Amino acid sequence: MSCDHKNCCNKSDQLRQTLDELDFERGIWASAQCGDLERCQKLVKTGVDVNVEDNFGYTALHYSARHGKLDVCKWLLRENAKVDAKTRSGGATPLHRACTTGHLEVVRLLLTYKADPEIKDADGKTALHRAAENQHDKICELLINQSHNPMALKRHIDKKNKLAVDYAKNDILKDLLKM
């Protein structure tokens, strides 16, 4: 399915775009964000690297994971996208992005491809912190169940000196995250 990017890429009504904005729209990132698998495939066939970064260090996998585009994520990972690629300033991985936005099946896929749930971003937060602060209890449960050391994952402290459980607002999530 082709994507015209009018409804999915947050285009402003401005008449002029910066070169960075044009690069984004023409690059693989906008296609990944919109879920336009055909266009992603076409770009890669013409020589675009699946791991090419935008100006902030985001890859196509970051964008597709954040927006829950499961088919694009699957394809990118089969094409050797770096599952633990980190952004430049925020240090976020695709797993951080999917956990923040609540895309359970994307999280499951990333874990299948050995995404590391213990990587900390620039705020010292793991994917579990990001899922907990957004109240995504099913994702927290999945991260804990898939972890090689669930207690260690629960013990990670971020730069605010908080555990993932400190972000939980409901009792079910608090019980799940307690040590």
Side-chain angles (χ1 to χ4, degrees), residues 36-146:
D36 188 348
L37 180 58
E38 276 183 42
R39 187 159 182 260
C40 289
Q41 292 169 332
K42 182 188 264 185
L43 287 166
V44 169
K45 281 183 183 175
T46 63
V48 173
D49 182 353
V50 293
N51 291 304
V52 67
E53 298 176 356
D54 69 7
N55 290 337
F56 302 100
Y58 287 88
T59 65
L61 187 57
H62 282 97
Y63 284 105
S64 57
R66 177 182 183 189
H67 291 276
K69 305 303 181 186
L70 186 61
D71 289 341
V72 174
C73 289
K74 285 178 183 177
W75 180 79
L76 288 167
L77 289 163
R78 285 193 307 264
E79 292 293 314
N80 298 313
K82 295 177 185 172
V83 72
D84 286 329
K86 292 177 82 172
T87 60
R88 285 191 196 102
S89 63
T93 65
L95 185 61
H96 281 104
R97 306 309 297 150
C99 287
T100 298
T101 53
H103 297 293
L104 179 64
E105 292 308 314
V106 172
V107 171
R108 189 180 319 280
L109 175 69
L110 293 169
L111 292 172
T112 299
Y113 276 83
K114 308 295 184 219
D116 184 352
E118 294 192 34
I119 292 175
K120 292 185 177 185
D121 63 16
D123 295 322
K125 294 181 179 178
T126 64
L128 186 62
H129 281 94
R130 293 294 179 189
E133 71 183 345
N134 290 286
Q135 310 309 302
H136 300 304
D137 56 336
K138 297 284 187 211
I139 291 175
C140 290
E141 184 176 10
L142 177 63
L143 290 167
I144 291 166
N145 288 340
Q146 295 291 317

Side-chain angles (χ1 to χ4, degrees), residues 117-118 126 128-129 140-141 143-145 147 149-158 162-166 173-179:
E118 294 192 34
T126 64
L128 186 62
H129 281 94
C140 290
E141 184 176 10
L143 290 167
I144 291 166
N145 288 340
S147 176
N149 191 344
M151 290 310 288
L153 186 61
K154 291 180 185 183
R155 283 192 205 112
H156 282 288
I157 297 172
D158 67 14
K162 290 187 174 189
L163 299 165
V165 69
D166 296 326
L173 192 51
K174 286 177 186 179
D175 287 345
L176 177 67
L177 296 172
K178 71 181 179 187
M179 292 187 278

Side-chain angles (χ1 to χ4, degrees), residues 6-45:
K6 290 178 185 167
N7 296 319
C8 65
C9 296
N10 298 328
K11 288 176 74 173
S12 68
D13 291 330
Q14 296 175 348
L15 295 175
R16 296 188 309 179
Q17 291 180 301
T18 66
L19 290 176
D20 289 343
E21 291 169 331
L22 286 171
D23 283 346
F24 178 84
E25 285 186 16
R26 291 179 183 154
I28 194 170
W29 315 288
S31 300
Q33 176 177 295
C34 295
D36 188 348
L37 180 58
E38 276 183 42
R39 187 159 182 260
C40 289
Q41 292 169 332
K42 182 188 264 185
L43 287 166
V44 169
K45 281 183 183 175

